[in-house]
């Protein structure tokens, strides 16, 4: 028998969202008439914007003609999309990220999970807690941790608790780490980091020769234009940060799949002999070996989100979800719940009532109100005592969820 990668046996239970899916299916089978409202996984619900549908149709017809047919595309992404990203997400905001520093992919989940491959197996990892589970699990799989303790925290990973006291945005640790994962607007807490917080992290990274892996998958949900949408708005970040952004939530691409990672030319890692290697070169090498990029049709669809019409239509969708977030936030807070997030992010971070554990509240919510959330403890031990509600659903369902919760707790 072939030996397995034993690091996988260190992982706790299954991945969070399939486990929730399993519990909800079990409930739905036992209660076939229950009208279940799913505010668990953050999956978009509005149909694709017309500008995107049109781009998909046009690109499909193009591929069906002898002149327009294309096979494999460039691994890093087509120039038309790299240029559109560089112009719209960066240069129009006075941020310098060149097309050749951008790598198109099929999702930020993949990118944030795969990026660790270009780092040494002994690199020390730092995460906030609660945390998007992909950052931790992929490093555990790669052998960068010991076993987990009774809180579910893995040995050799630095955890920084995100609490109400620190506005769910912990400051950098007093110790060094090689890689720190940051997510702003944050999944799951909905907190957002301001310039001062990001500056502190960039300063820490530079003085510790660390790399920041900055997940900005929810950047479009920031409602205050003075808040940073990109780590590269911070001076010095070009020397120490890698950024991930996604079309999933901001343009409804969770099914279409398109995202990208930006790695400035100035971010280096070190070989064991101390010589420097550009991280962008390593990622490019990894990308071209393991990935054939995103389909042409999907890249054209992503490009269409930057057209004037595409921007307007997708912004309107973001506004729709953020109005849902407002309804959840205000409704539940008026009903007496401790509510955080939901102002610059499509997630509401809700304190469980009556001192219930996250999973007990999840079960009670499902059984009494038929509303599905995500237990905060599923994102880490500091998420215990919280539940995450997603604003991705119809207005009617969101209103109905608020009134069911109000009436049952
Ligand atoms: C979530 O619900 O946390 C997200 O949908 C997960 C993801 O984007 O992979």
């Amino acid at each position: 028998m072939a030996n397995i990668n034993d690091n996988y046996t260190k992982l706790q239970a299954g991945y969070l969202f399939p486990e929730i899916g399993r519990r909800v299916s079990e409930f739905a089978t036992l209660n076939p008439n229950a009208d279940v409202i799913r505010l668990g996984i953050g999956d978009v619900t509005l149909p694709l914007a017309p500008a995107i549908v049109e781009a998909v149709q046009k690109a499909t017809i193009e591929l069906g003609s002898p002149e327009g047919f294309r096979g494999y595309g460039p691994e890093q992404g087509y120039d038309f999309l790299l240029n559109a990203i560089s112009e719209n997400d960066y240069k129009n905001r006075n941020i310098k990220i060149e097309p050749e520093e951008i790598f198109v992919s099929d999702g930020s989940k993949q990118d944030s999970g795969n990026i660790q491959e270009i780092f040494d197996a002994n690199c020390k990892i730092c995460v906030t807690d609660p945390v998007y589970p992909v950052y931790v699990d992929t490093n555990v799989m790669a052998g960068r941790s010991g076993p987990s303790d009774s809180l579910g925290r893995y040995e050799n990973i630095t955890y920084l608790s995100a609490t109400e006291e620190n506005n769910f945005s912990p400051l950098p640790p007093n110790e060094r780490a090689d890689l720190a994962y940051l997510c702003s607007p944050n999944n799951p807490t909905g907190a957002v980091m301001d310039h001062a917080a990001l500056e502190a992290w960039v300063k820490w990274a530079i003085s510790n020769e660390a790399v920041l892996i900055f997940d900005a998958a929810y950047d479009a949900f920031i409602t205050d234009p003075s808040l940073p949408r990109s780590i590269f708005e911070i001076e010095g970040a070009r020397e120490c940060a890698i950024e991930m952004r996604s079309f999933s939530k901001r343009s409804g691409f969770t099914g279409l799949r398109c995202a990208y990672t930006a790695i400035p030319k100035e971010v280096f890692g070190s070989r064991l002999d101390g010589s420097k290697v550009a991280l962008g070169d390593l990622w490019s090498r990894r990308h071209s070996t393991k990935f054939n990029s995103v389909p042409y049709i999907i890249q054209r669809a992503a490009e269409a989100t930057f057209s004037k019409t595409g921007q307007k239509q997708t912004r309107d969708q973001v506004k729709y979800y953020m109005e849902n977030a407002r309804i959840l936030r205000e409704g539940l807070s008026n009903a007496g719940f401790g509510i955080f997030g939901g102002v610059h992010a499509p997630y509401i971070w809700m304190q469980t009532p009556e001192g219930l554990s996250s999973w007990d509240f999840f079960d009670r919510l499902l059984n009494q109100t038929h509303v599905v959330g995500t237990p905060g403890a599923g994102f880490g031990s500091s998420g215990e005592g919280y539940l995450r509600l997603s604003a991705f659903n119809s207005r009617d369902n969101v209103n109905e969820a608020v009134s069911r919760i109000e009436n049952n707790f």
Side-chain angles (χ1 to χ4, degrees), residues 33-263:
N33 297 323
D35 173 18
V36 176
I37 300 179
R38 290 176 165 79
L39 305 180
I41 190 161
D43 194 1
V44 291
T45 53
L46 290 170
L48 287 174
I52 299 172
V53 174
E54 199 182 303
V56 167
Q57 287 169 334
K58 201 168 145 217
T60 310
I61 290 166
E62 203 185 332
L63 291 187
S65 72
E67 315 74 51
F69 175 74
R70 288 155 197 259
Y72 295 125
E75 286 87 0
Q76 200 170 329
Y78 284 100
D79 282 345
F80 62 79
L81 182 56
L82 300 175
N83 289 330
I85 293 169
S86 169
E87 282 303 316
N88 291 281
D89 279 351
Y90 294 110
K91 291 187 180 157
N92 287 354
R93 295 171 185 275
N94 296 321
I95 304 167
K96 177 175 149 45
I97 289 289
E98 299 298 338
E100 56 275 18
E101 296 173 318
I102 296 165
F103 301 83
V104 169
S105 79
D106 57 347
S108 286
K109 179 179 185 176
Q110 287 85 322
D111 284 354
S112 63
N114 292 331
I115 195 74
Q116 48 78 26
E117 279 185 31
I118 64 169
F119 295 97
D120 186 74
N122 294 314
C123 276
K124 174 100 183 161
I125 306 300
C126 169
V127 293
T128 59
D129 173 9
V131 63
Y132 181 47
V134 172
Y135 313 154
V136 172
D137 286 6
T138 52
N139 278 292
V140 172
M141 289 167 176
R144 288 193 190 89
S145 79
S148 58
D149 63 15
S150 58
L151 289 175
R153 287 183 164 188
Y154 294 94
E155 196 180 281
N156 205 37
I157 292 183
T158 300
Y159 291 86
L160 304 172
S161 292
T163 59
E164 192 179 342
E165 288 68 44
N166 59 24
N167 291 321
F168 301 98
S169 294
L171 287 168
N174 293 323
E175 58 192 80
R176 86 164 295 284
D178 297 290
L179 305 176
Y181 289 77
L182 299 175
C183 177
S184 179
N186 188 265
N187 179 12
T189 65
V192 69
M193 293 168 86
D194 60 14
H195 280 90
L198 288 183
E199 275 160 18
W201 275 99
V202 167
K203 200 166 153 211
W204 171 86
I206 291 174
S207 62
N208 285 281
E209 299 193 324
V211 176
L212 301 178
I213 298 176
F214 188 71
D215 183 348
Y218 298 92
D219 71 295
F221 295 82
I222 293 179
T223 47
D224 175 352
S226 72
L227 286 167
R229 281 189 173 208
S230 164
I231 186 89
F232 300 122
E233 290 179 41
I234 310 300
E235 208 184 313
R238 279 190 59 90
E239 290 160 47
C240 65
I242 291 176
E243 176 163 282
M244 281 139 198
R245 299 237 200 144
S246 170
F247 295 89
S248 280
K249 314 292 159 97
R250 69 169 168 188
S251 312
F253 272 56
T254 53
L256 287 185
R257 311 301 308 154
C258 195
Y260 65 88
T261 288
I263 311 184

